Amino acid sequence: MHTQDRSAVINVLVLCDWVYPSFHSYATPDRMGDTSLESQLLEAATNYRLTEKELNRVGERVWNLARAIMVKEGRTRREDTFHESFFREEAGEKAVPKEDFEKAKTRYYRLRGWDEETGWPTRKKLQELELFDVARDLFKGRE
């Protein structure tokens, strides 16, 4: 989730997602990267300061907004999957057990604050992220 949210931040800030991770990972001795770098770049370019924590929230908002758009277009838990070939062993390749994948997906939804049955962001999650209009539109006539 953190990687997805930070990737959304990188895209919002229009940083190159091909070169940037390489540059980013060399910023610290542990090669984990300086995750405050985006904040520093934003401030240097705009004089607008967001803390790393605030940028994480921006990324989470973007990810949930994108998910809400997908849901409005018909996406459900059913579409959150791999091609069937990932679930069968072929030519000595190990398969991902479908049951394990579904359990992981349920856990991911729970951690995201999304409905575990549908894969939808919950009204509560959208409101927590101050996406009130998105929550209203997504759940209009459904509750």
Side-chain angles (χ1 to χ4, degrees):
M1 288 176 6
H2 181 72
T3 301
Q4 291 171 328
D5 294 345
R6 293 309 283 198
S7 178
V9 168
I10 289 167
N11 289 329
V12 166
L13 293 176
V14 195
L15 298 171
C16 177
D17 63 356
W18 184 71
V19 173
Y20 182 73
S22 299
F23 171 70
H24 192 265
S25 66
Y26 291 102
T28 60
D30 63 4
R31 297 236 200 267
M32 294 301 289
D34 180 0
T35 56
S36 72
L37 190 56
E38 292 96 342
S39 297
Q40 295 172 46
L41 290 170
L42 176 65
E43 186 173 12
T46 66
N47 205 29
Y48 186 74
R49 175 97 175 112
L50 285 178
T51 65
E52 188 176 354
K53 185 177 179 180
E54 290 168 327
L55 272 180
N56 288 340
R57 184 171 165 87
V58 167
E60 186 179 11
R61 291 182 80 214
V62 169
W63 197 264
N64 276 269
L65 176 59
R67 182 61 177 202
I69 291 167
M70 287 186 260
V71 164
K72 282 197 67 109
E73 294 296 319
R75 189 168 191 107
T76 66
R77 179 185 175 107
R78 186 172 157 251
E79 287 79 33
D80 290 335
T81 193
F82 296 132
H83 187 272
E84 279 302 312
S85 64
F86 281 80
F87 303 113
R88 335 183 264 273
E89 290 193 26
E90 293 179 0
E93 300 254 344
K94 287 283 188 185
V96 175
K98 182 96 174 183
E99 182 179 296
D100 291 351
F101 177 77
E102 290 300 321
K103 285 179 187 175
K105 194 163 56 171
T106 298
R107 183 167 187 257
Y108 172 80
Y109 293 155
R110 186 178 321 119
L111 291 169
R112 273 272 178 215
W114 295 355
D115 183 88
E116 295 174 23
E117 298 299 316
T118 64
W120 285 34
T122 61
R123 179 185 292 273
K124 179 181 176 186
K125 172 49 79 176
L126 294 172
Q127 289 175 338
E128 172 190 311
L129 295 170
E130 298 179 43
L131 296 170
F132 302 110
D133 55 338
V134 176
R136 182 194 65 237
D137 292 348
L138 189 61
F139 290 97
K140 190 175 189 172
R142 295 188 185 268
E143 295 180 325

